[in-house]
Amino acid sequence: MGSLSGVATERGMKVSTVSRQISRLEDTLGVALFNRTTRGLHLTEAGHELQARASRILSDVEDACVMVTSYSSAPRGILHLNVPCTFGRRHVMPHLAEFVASYPEIQVDVCLNDATVDLIESGTDIAIRIGALVDSTLIAKRLAGHFSYARSKSGLLVEKWRADKPRRSRPT
């Protein structure tokens, strides 16, 4: 193990601070972790056990941090989508194969559902909804306005633009 002064120097601390921290830990655990002599410090059996277990724990924490950090390098995992049925079939499903090809480490779980669901409780990552947003603490972004039209037998088009934006030309 060495000496308290060696540990203190290595850690950039005062010897008295290191000594107090060790004493506090020993008091908390109710067991001596070191045999102290004029020649240095030696771990007790309890000290060896604590060091071995703490080393494994620190190694596991380091491995977990490395694994979680890898999520920032490339998107991966399961993406849970909740989309209205008709909209999903027309506008989401046709693009899914291209998305999965672009992001092979992402699995997409699409739920086509016209009912309003509790996004948190259902584990939904992204939901697309049509219509007015119910007051919510969730993060929402308007994707587009809603354009509806009806065609008569004579081909006359009746349009209605549902948005706070100017009217656009009708679709061709």
Side-chain angles (χ1 to χ4, degrees):
M1 171 83 206
S3 66
L4 285 181
S5 62
V7 171
T9 301
E10 183 181 303
R11 303 270 183 215
M13 301 167 75
K14 293 180 181 178
V15 175
S16 60
T17 303
V18 173
S19 180
R20 267 195 316 274
Q21 287 180 345
I22 290 171
S23 295
R24 195 174 311 139
L25 180 59
E26 288 176 328
D27 289 344
T28 301
L29 297 175
V31 65
L33 300 172
F34 296 95
N35 288 321
R36 293 163 180 83
T37 66
T38 56
R39 296 185 185 265
L41 296 174
H42 302 282
L43 287 170
T44 62
E45 186 177 340
H48 279 291
E49 184 66 30
L50 181 63
Q51 181 189 32
R53 288 181 182 236
S55 293
R56 284 193 300 269
I57 291 168
L58 289 173
S59 178
D60 287 348
V61 168
E62 189 175 301
D63 291 347
C65 288
V66 167
M67 191 264 311
V68 169
T69 303
S70 70
Y71 277 87
S72 68
S73 63
R76 67 184 66 196
I78 301 173
L79 178 63
H80 300 278
L81 300 177
N82 191 294
V83 184
C85 296
T86 303
F87 183 88
R89 281 197 283 294
R90 286 186 183 171
H91 301 289
V92 175
M93 300 306 280
H95 302 285
L96 224 46
E98 180 183 349
F99 178 84
V100 171
S102 296
Y103 301 97
E105 295 190 45
I106 294 181
Q107 298 171 338
V108 181
D109 173 33
V110 179
C111 177
L112 298 175
N113 186 353
D114 289 327
T116 301
V117 297
D118 183 327
L119 303 180
I120 303 298
E121 189 175 300
S122 67
T124 300
D125 297 308
I126 298 174
I128 297 176
R129 289 292 167 247
I130 297 172
L133 178 66
V134 182
D135 187 28
S136 174
T137 59
L138 301 174
I139 298 170
K141 180 174 175 95
R142 181 187 195 105
L143 299 177
H146 181 70
F147 184 80
S148 63
Y149 60 93
R151 195 176 298 262
S152 67
K153 286 184 181 180
S154 66
L156 184 66
L157 187 65
V158 178
E159 338 179 317
K160 184 173 182 184
W161 179 249
R162 296 182 188 191
D164 297 335
K165 298 184 178 185
R167 274 179 111 168
R168 296 184 185 172
S169 61
R170 70 176 185 248
T172 56

